[in-house]
């Protein structure tokens, strides 16, 4: 079972992706967060295998959140979901060890495939 945490500031995105992901037999949604601060707390509490993370969020953006998780010595696989196809965002994320950078609107099958590929790293 792949434990997944989703962090996105758009409620509709959180609800719809969480619903779709929770219907997969091999994926357990362990939580959702509306910003990087909430996501950081949930990573500590829930210990997800994979974090689906929006790059731009209030309070703490995705880049800051990834750095904070790494400082705490935690290592979930991070998949970025972003509306920004700007190379600079992707490059910054990849330097922090992000596994994949998916541009919204994301195809659900593509996202599920990315989570399942992440399982290979987790095991």
């Amino acid at each position: 079972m792949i434990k997944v945490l989703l962090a996105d500031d758009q409620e509709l995105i959180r609800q719809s992706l969480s619903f779709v992901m929770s219907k997969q037999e091999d994926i357990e949604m362990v939580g959702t967060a509306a910003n990087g601060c909430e996501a950081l707390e949930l990573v500590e509490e829930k210990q997800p295998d994979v974090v689906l993370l929006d790059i731009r969020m209030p309070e703490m953006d995705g880049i800051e959140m990834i750095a904070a998780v790494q400082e705490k010595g935690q290592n979930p696989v991070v998949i970025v979901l972003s509306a920004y196809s700007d190379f600079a965002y992707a490059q910054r994320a990849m330097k922090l060890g992000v596994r994949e950078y998916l541009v919204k609107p994301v195809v659900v099958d593509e996202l599920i495939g990315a989570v399942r590929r992440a399982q290979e790293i987790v095991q």
Side-chain angles (χ1 to χ4, degrees), residues 59-78:
E59 296 184 40
M60 177 187 287
D61 70 20
I63 297 291
E64 293 169 323
M65 187 268 185
I66 295 166
V69 165
Q70 291 174 347
E71 281 181 21
K72 293 180 180 275
Q74 297 167 322
N75 250 349
V77 176
V78 177

Side-chain angles (χ1 to χ4, degrees), residues 109-123:
D109 289 341
E110 182 181 354
L111 180 59
I112 292 168
V115 169
R116 289 181 175 144
R117 285 189 297 277
Q119 182 182 27
E120 298 169 8
I121 296 169
V122 173
Q123 292 180 340

Side-chain angles (χ1 to χ4, degrees), residues 5-118:
L5 172 69
L6 170 64
D8 196 299
D9 60 329
Q10 295 179 353
E11 185 175 354
L12 182 59
I13 298 286
R14 284 194 316 274
Q15 288 178 355
S16 59
L17 289 181
S18 180
F19 175 78
V20 169
M21 299 298 280
S22 68
K23 295 298 180 188
Q24 307 305 307
E25 292 181 8
D26 56 341
I27 295 173
E28 175 188 1
M29 289 301 300
V30 296
T32 61
N35 61 59
C37 292
E38 288 178 14
L40 183 59
E41 289 177 16
L42 286 172
V43 165
E44 292 177 33
E45 178 185 332
K46 303 292 186 176
Q47 300 290 307
D49 301 314
V50 178
V51 176
L52 303 176
L53 183 65
D54 189 2
I55 203 91
R56 290 196 117 190
M57 296 181 288
E59 296 184 40
M60 177 187 287
D61 70 20
I63 297 291
E64 293 169 323
M65 187 268 185
I66 295 166
V69 165
Q70 291 174 347
E71 281 181 21
K72 293 180 180 275
Q74 297 167 322
N75 250 349
V77 176
V78 177
I79 299 171
V80 168
L81 306 173
S82 179
Y84 300 92
S85 58
D86 185 315
F87 179 71
Y89 282 114
Q91 188 176 30
R92 288 175 59 203
M94 294 302 181
K95 283 183 180 179
L96 289 171
V98 167
R99 175 74 174 146
E100 295 195 40
Y101 190 99
L102 304 175
V103 178
K104 295 178 191 174
V106 65
V107 176
V108 172
D109 289 341
E110 182 181 354
L111 180 59
I112 292 168
V115 169
R116 289 181 175 144
R117 285 189 297 277

